[in-house]
Amino acid sequence: MPVETFVVGALESALHAGEIVEAVHVPARSASAHWGYAKSCRKTGEFAHAIGAVLIDPAAASARIVIGAIDTTPIVITDAAELFGGRIAADYKQRFDVRVADALLAKAGIDDAAQRHIHVSVLKRAVQEAAA
């Protein structure tokens, strides 16, 4: 029976002793789906200080966003329309709202404004990569 396993932190999963991942299912995406990934680290090979990953499908008006390399479980946003002015369309790159992203990170408990700025900048780069 398939079991979903979630990342709970850096190098940490919800797997218990004796459990093993048997398969990974990645659903097929439509031709209109775009994705982008960006990270920030000081030196090559170093653990990232901020990670942003986006999967955006303007034709389906959907987006999934992950913000990682934070002091807690990665933030997964399955309904990301708010980050794009309330709707996801072909102009999503121009509609990405850094203020909404900053507020989302603050709500998640990231108090340091400089850290939030780094995460928002990396997320913006991931969105721009998806639109490229």
Side-chain angles (χ1 to χ4, degrees):
M1 174 160 78
V3 176
E4 289 188 18
T5 302
F6 298 99
V7 175
V8 294
L11 304 174
E12 212 176 332
S13 75
L15 286 175
H16 297 288
E19 292 182 328
I20 188 168
V21 175
E22 294 178 353
V24 175
H25 173 72
V26 179
R29 297 291 173 193
S30 70
S32 61
H34 307 147
W35 66 275
Y37 172 83
K39 71 176 187 175
S40 172
C41 57
R42 290 190 184 112
K43 296 186 279 182
T44 303
E46 183 179 61
F47 283 115
H49 300 286
I51 295 172
V54 301
L55 175 62
I56 302 173
D57 189 344
S62 67
R64 182 177 177 95
I65 293 179
V66 177
I67 303 168
I70 54 179
D71 293 334
T72 184
T73 305
I75 299 169
V76 179
I77 307 161
T78 56
D79 182 11
E82 180 182 11
L83 288 167
F84 300 96
R87 67 178 176 84
I88 298 163
D91 63 346
Y92 65 86
K93 177 182 172 182
Q94 292 80 16
R95 298 179 62 77
F96 179 72
D97 191 336
V98 296
R99 294 167 300 173
V100 173
D102 182 68
L104 186 140
L105 289 165
K107 185 177 178 182
I110 301 175
D111 298 325
D112 185 329
Q115 285 298 316
R116 288 196 315 271
H117 177 75
I118 292 168
H119 285 285
V120 169
S121 297
V122 167
L123 184 57
K124 183 177 180 179
R125 281 197 345 243
V127 169
Q128 290 171 337
E129 181 179 304

